[in-house]
Every structure is written in C-alpha cells, then in structure tokens.
Amino acid sequence: MAKLDASKSGTFKIGGEIKINRLGFGAMRITGKGIWGEPEDRPEALRTLKRVPELGINFIDTADSYGPDVSEELIHEALFPYKGVLIATKAGFQRTGPGVWQMDGRPEWLRSQALSSCKRLGVKRIDLWQLHRIDPKVPRHAQFAAIKSLIEDGIIRFAGLSEVSVADIEEASEVFPVVSVQNRYNLVDRGSETVLDYCEASGIGFIPWYPLAAGELAKDGSILDRIAKKHGAAPSQIALAWVLKRSPVMLPIPGTSKVKHLEENVAAVNIDLSDDEFALLDREGRIASQAA
C-alpha cells in the first residue's frame, strides 16, 4: 500500500507567503447533526483531528459558526499549538439552531467574531480569515472595510471570501487583498468555473467545498465508476483526484469526523489520472452540471 502523504498533492502559497499542501481538511463535520453542538462521537472526532497532520495535511478550514464554536474548540484541544499547520476560519453567520444559518455581515459582528475565534483557537492572530458570505442586508463596502481594519489591526493576516462572483472579488480587492475564495465546486457542480479561472490567473487560492460529490456519475457503469475500478479506487477518490488535477490553485478540503474516511480521502493523492481520463471526466461532469 502506498504511503498516505498529503504533500503528494503539491503545494500552494497563501498570500504568496504561507506554504501549504494543496489537500486540506474541512472541519465542519466534526460537529453534531445540523452542524450544531458536540459531535456524536467526540473521541473519534478528536482522533480524526490528531490524525490530520500525521497524514501531511497542514491546512485546516473551519468557521465560528460550525457548532457554533465547537469546531474551533475541538481543533484547539486536539492540535494546539498548530506546529506548521495553517488554521483558517470564517465569520458572517449567526446560528440559532440545527441547520439554521442567518447571514450577519455587520462590521461590529465580524470584528467581535474574529476576536472570539482568536481566543477559541488560542492564537494572537488568525493567518487566514474568510468572510463566510457577503451579507446583502449590510453595505458591501462596510463589510470590506471591516476586513481591511482586521488586517491593519493585526487581528488577521490574510483574508478571503466565500460564495462569490468574479465581480465580488474585484470589488473587494479594491479594499483589501483577496488571497482565497471558497466556493462550492466539484466534478458535477461547475457553476464557479469562471471564478476558478479568475483565481488561477490571479494567484488566488480556490477552496472548493463539497469537493467529493459526483452525483449520477457515481452510479455503476458510469465513466467515473469504470475509471475508479481501473484504479482500484472509490468514485469519491477519483472525483477528488480530478479536482486536484483541475488547477494548481485548487485547495480541496474534504471533511469527515472519522479516521477511516480521512485516510481514504488522503489516499486520493496517490491516484494519477491520465490526461485522457481527466478529459473524459471533465466532459461528463460538464454535461451532468448542465443537466442539473
């Protein structure tokens, strides 16, 4: 069996300065149902977090709203002082119950949450902080100015955006340097294709959430299924290998609360898709995306 080592995914420099391995870990699923409260199996969630750096993953994505607070607290318990690991977090939501997400982009809320994240994570400064959503109820410039002030006051080092368009990135970039974009993207969800291309051209890290999804392509007999069988892999591993091959700025963050699933995800870096396999999957994925 090939060694499990996320460094085989290649590297990327956040903000041109912080070097990370491209395959990261998303820490949303280490919370309870509805991304609310404590995980059902807390010891396993902690074992999973502790296994993350052992597998060569040095980029973890979380948010104050995961739990809320729970994800950041578990990360601190399992991994502090984060030797060589970049912990990225986000703010911009209020949580009032399981599955309930209410946008809040008020400058005072964003600042208070960034400071709270610092305390929960046990750090003086957050190296990568992202606006979880641009709140349509709050003037956009006020949200961007709040982020600029977080950078200027040393509360955060770099900042990014989530679920945005190219126009959003360009507007925000007039106020502060946008170093990362976190949009939903996978083999069969290609709605952010132009955003990804823009990020690649601009040297901005693109963090696809829900990167393992394959939809109808995961069915028996599909091109994805046939390629997976050829490589002795699961369809989800092929989908992740495809995402990694798609762009050098791609920083997928598949998440789980189970050690076994974490190891299966990291094993995808050992899959070497041929250019023909990549092209076939790309074509079928685009067709599936347009049909959805």
Side-chain angles (χ1 to χ4, degrees):
M1 180 182 292
K3 182 182 178 182
L4 297 178
D5 184 358
S7 68
K8 294 181 181 178
S9 63
T11 61
F12 180 81
K13 287 186 177 181
I14 297 290
E17 295 179 18
I18 307 176
K19 187 177 181 180
I20 59 169
N21 295 328
R22 287 175 54 219
L23 178 62
F25 176 77
M28 182 174 73
R29 298 292 175 187
I30 59 171
T31 61
K33 289 183 178 180
I35 320 303
W36 184 263
E38 292 282 334
E40 290 185 1
D41 189 341
R42 196 174 193 276
E44 177 67 3
L46 288 170
R47 281 192 293 270
T48 301
L49 283 169
K50 290 176 181 178
R51 186 75 173 122
V52 165
E54 294 174 351
L55 297 173
I57 295 174
N58 56 9
F59 174 50
I60 296 176
D61 175 85
T62 186
D64 64 353
S65 55
Y66 297 165
D69 306 342
V70 173
S71 178
E72 290 180 335
E73 291 168 352
L74 288 173
I75 288 170
H76 179 270
E77 181 177 341
L79 297 174
F80 186 80
Y82 320 120
K83 295 179 181 178
V85 178
L86 170 62
I87 310 295
T89 193
K90 302 181 288 294
F93 276 115
Q94 292 255 20
R95 301 295 310 284
T96 57
V100 180
W101 303 78
Q102 298 173 331
M103 282 188 231
D104 192 342
R106 293 173 299 144
E108 61 269 26
W109 174 256
L110 299 179
R111 187 178 187 87
S112 69
Q113 291 307 103
L115 288 168
S116 294
S117 288
C118 284
K119 290 180 181 178
R120 281 189 293 273
L121 292 169
V123 297
K124 293 182 179 179
R125 180 184 66 180
I126 296 166
D127 282 336
L128 176 59
W129 181 96
Q130 299 165 102
L131 180 62
H132 216 150
R133 294 291 188 275
I134 298 175
D135 187 349
K137 304 185 302 298
V138 178
R140 298 161 69 88
H141 189 271
Q143 297 174 71
F144 299 155
I147 297 170
K148 180 181 180 182
S149 72
L150 289 172
I151 296 171
E152 292 176 340
D153 293 344
I155 298 169
I156 66 176
R157 180 175 176 184
F158 292 118
L161 302 169
S162 180
E163 283 305 303
V164 290
S165 66
V166 170
D168 293 331
I169 301 168
E170 291 178 333
E171 185 177 353
S173 296
E174 295 178 0
V175 184
F176 67 91
V178 177
V179 305
S180 67
V181 167
Q182 188 167 157
N183 281 14
R184 177 165 166 151
Y185 183 91
N186 53 59
L187 181 60
V188 294
D189 187 343
R190 313 291 278 282
S192 291
E193 206 76 62
T194 56
V195 175
L196 171 57
D197 291 340
Y198 179 87
C199 287
E200 184 171 334
S202 306
I204 295 171
F206 185 91
I207 306 169
W209 59 274
Y210 206 30
L212 304 185
E216 294 291 311
L217 290 190
K219 288 187 173 181
D220 288 346
S222 70
I223 182 63
L224 178 60
D225 178 61
R226 295 198 298 273
I227 291 175
K229 286 183 169 63
K230 176 183 174 183
H231 287 271
S236 61
Q237 291 175 312
I238 298 298
L240 181 53
W242 180 89
V243 164
L244 281 166
K245 191 176 175 71
R246 170 63 179 82
S247 170
V249 304
M250 192 79 84
L251 310 173
I253 49 167
T256 179
S257 60
K258 307 291 185 184
V259 172
K260 180 182 177 183
H261 294 160
L262 171 65
E263 293 176 345
E264 289 174 353
N265 292 338
V266 176
V269 304
N270 293 319
I271 298 171
D272 185 17
L273 293 176
S274 69
D275 291 343
D276 287 343
E277 289 171 333
F278 176 86
L280 282 170
L281 290 169
D282 184 66
R283 184 187 67 193
E284 293 299 316
R286 288 177 187 274
I287 293 172
S289 179
Q290 292 168 0

